[in-house]
Amino acid sequence: MEFVQRLEAAARHTEDHLRALLEECGPADDGRLGDAMQYAVLAGGKRFRPLLVIESAALFGIEERMALNVAAAIECVHCYSLVHDDLPCMDDDNLRRGQPTVHKAYDEWTAILTGDALLTLAFEILARPTWQPDEGVRADLVLALAKSAGGRGMVEGQMLDLEAEKLGTPETPTINHIRRLHALKTGELIACACEAGAILGHATAIDRAALRRYGQHLGLAFQIADDLLDAEGDTEIVGKATGKDDARGKATLVTLLGVDNARACLEEAEQDAVKSLHSFGERGAALIEAARFAAHRAL
Ligand code: GRG
C-alpha cells in the first residue's frame, strides 16, 4: 500500500475508534461539552501521530486493533493542545483544520474545558483494563504519555514558546534554544507515539530507544516543515493562517536561518530519523516513508 493510503486508512480507523470512545467515555448527556469535544477531535486532521503508533507497533507484530487505543489517546492529547494553543491568550487563531477554532465555534470557557476533558480522557483510555490485559504495559504507556505531554515535555515547550513571544525572553533566542523548544513542544508527543509502539510490542530497551530517537528527529523535521509552511504555504491548503511567524517577529529556524538553511536542517533531521531505524532493516520501510512525508508535506 502507498504511504498516503496507509495514512488515510489509519486516519479513518482512528476516527472510528475516537467516535466510539467519545460515545462510551465522553460526557453522559448530549450537551455542549460532548458536542465541542467531538468538534475538536473529529473535524479533520492528518492523524500523523496515530499512524506512527500503528506503524511502530507493527514493527513488533502488533495488530492495528491493539494499537488503535493508544493512537486515539495520543490524538486526544494532540487535539487538546491545539484547542488550548488556539485560544486568544496563547496563539490566538481563528482557523484550524480549515474550520473555526473551538473558541470561535463555541466560546473560550468551552474551549478550555474541552481541552481539559480531552487531556483527561486520554489517560482514561490508556488506563482502562478492558483493552489491554497487561497492566505493566498500561502503566508504562500512561507514564510515557504523562512525561511527554507534561511540564518536562510539550507544556514546557509551549511555555518556552510563549515566553519568547509575549515576554521577549530570551532577548536573543539562539538556534539551540529554538531547537530545544521544538524538541519539547512538537518532538515529545511525536517521540511518544513512536515509543508507544515499542511499549505495546514489549520491545527491548535498545529498540525502544531507537524508536524514541527516530521520533525526536522526526519531530524536528515535522516542526521545520510547519515553519516553512507558515512562511511559504497557502492558507486554503494548509487549513490555518500562514505568514504569522514573520508578522509577529517570531523566532523560528526559518526566521533565524532563512528558508534555504532551514530546509538544509530539515533534510538533516529527516536523514537522522532514517538512520535511527537502521537496526530494523527493511521492516522500517513504512517509518522511513513517514519521515519523508513529514519533511515534504504540503499541509
Ligand atoms: C497548549 C500545552 C499546549 C501545547 C500546545 C501543539 C502545540 C503545543 C501547539 C500548536 C501549534 C504548533 C505549530 C505546534 C507544533 C506542532 C504542530 C505542527 C502541530 C500541528 O500538528 P499537525 O500538523 O495537525 O499534525 P493536524 O491538524 O494535522 O492534526
Side-chain angles (χ1 to χ4, degrees):
M1 212 193 287
E2 293 283 318
F3 177 77
V4 177
Q5 289 168 313
R6 279 173 188 252
L7 182 59
E8 281 168 5
R12 249 189 346 267
H13 300 162
T14 304
E15 268 159 40
D16 290 344
H17 196 61
L18 280 164
R19 199 170 287 111
L21 285 167
L22 283 171
E23 187 79 22
E24 205 180 325
C25 315
D29 60 20
D30 291 338
R32 190 174 181 82
L33 181 58
D35 218 56
M37 286 169 79
Q38 289 201 14
Y39 183 86
V41 167
L42 299 176
K46 293 182 286 299
R47 315 299 187 191
F48 185 62
R49 294 155 193 80
L51 174 97
L52 293 175
V53 177
I54 291 167
E55 295 297 351
S56 301
L59 277 180
F60 307 97
I62 301 296
E63 287 177 23
E64 188 193 81
R65 66 182 175 84
M66 290 303 284
L68 275 178
N69 225 41
V70 186
I74 292 182
E75 189 66 9
C76 281
V77 172
H78 171 57
C79 293
Y80 123 76
S81 79
L82 298 179
V83 172
H84 280 192
D85 182 65
D86 289 334
L87 285 165
C89 64
M90 294 214 193
D91 214 33
D92 193 11
D93 268 305
N94 297 339
L95 198 65
R96 168 72 63 186
R97 296 169 165 173
Q99 304 214 48
T101 45
V102 175
H103 68 273
K104 282 283 159 191
Y106 294 84
D107 47 61
E108 282 182 41
W109 51 271
T110 303
I112 291 170
L113 294 175
T114 297
D116 293 343
L118 289 174
L119 175 60
T120 41
L121 175 62
F123 290 99
E124 182 179 342
I125 292 171
L126 291 182
R128 288 189 327 156
T130 42
W131 72 280
Q132 166 62 257
D134 187 332
E135 60 194 35
V137 167
R138 295 200 307 272
D140 226 1
L141 288 166
V142 165
L143 181 63
L145 184 56
K147 283 168 86 169
S148 287
R152 286 188 177 195
M154 184 178 70
V155 173
E156 187 184 7
Q158 179 76 345
M159 189 71 188
L160 293 177
D161 203 11
L162 293 181
E163 277 178 336
E165 191 182 328
K166 297 190 188 288
L167 305 178
T169 52
E171 215 170 299
T172 320
T174 60
I175 302 288
N176 278 346
H177 183 78
I178 303 291
R179 285 177 79 109
R180 176 158 175 264
L181 187 165
H182 289 343
L184 293 166
K185 186 175 99 163
T186 311
E188 274 296 327
L189 200 58
I190 288 182
C192 178
C194 303
E195 190 181 6
I199 296 173
L200 277 169
H202 296 95
T204 63
I206 289 178
D207 282 352
R208 181 168 164 172
L211 277 171
R212 219 185 126 68
R213 229 172 14 254
Y214 161 76
Q216 286 164 338
H217 293 304
L218 182 64
L220 178 62
F222 194 88
Q223 180 61 57
I224 301 175
D226 206 67
D227 294 338
L228 285 167
L229 284 173
D230 182 83
E232 301 179 317
D234 182 336
T235 298
E236 288 285 314
I237 299 169
V238 185
K240 60 184 180 181
T242 52
K244 287 180 59 191
D245 295 343
D246 205 28
R248 290 182 184 187
K250 184 169 173 167
T252 69
L253 290 184
V254 175
T255 59
L256 284 184
L257 296 172
V259 166
D260 290 344
N261 288 331
R263 212 177 284 288
C265 278
L266 168 65
E267 270 157 32
E268 195 183 318
E270 180 191 348
Q271 280 162 23
D272 288 342
V274 171
K275 277 186 213 152
S276 311
L277 297 171
H278 181 72
S279 59
F280 298 110
E282 291 193 354
R283 283 156 60 221
L287 290 177
I288 291 175
E289 284 187 63
R292 192 163 303 134
F293 168 84
H296 302 283
R297 68 203 174 93
L299 78 164

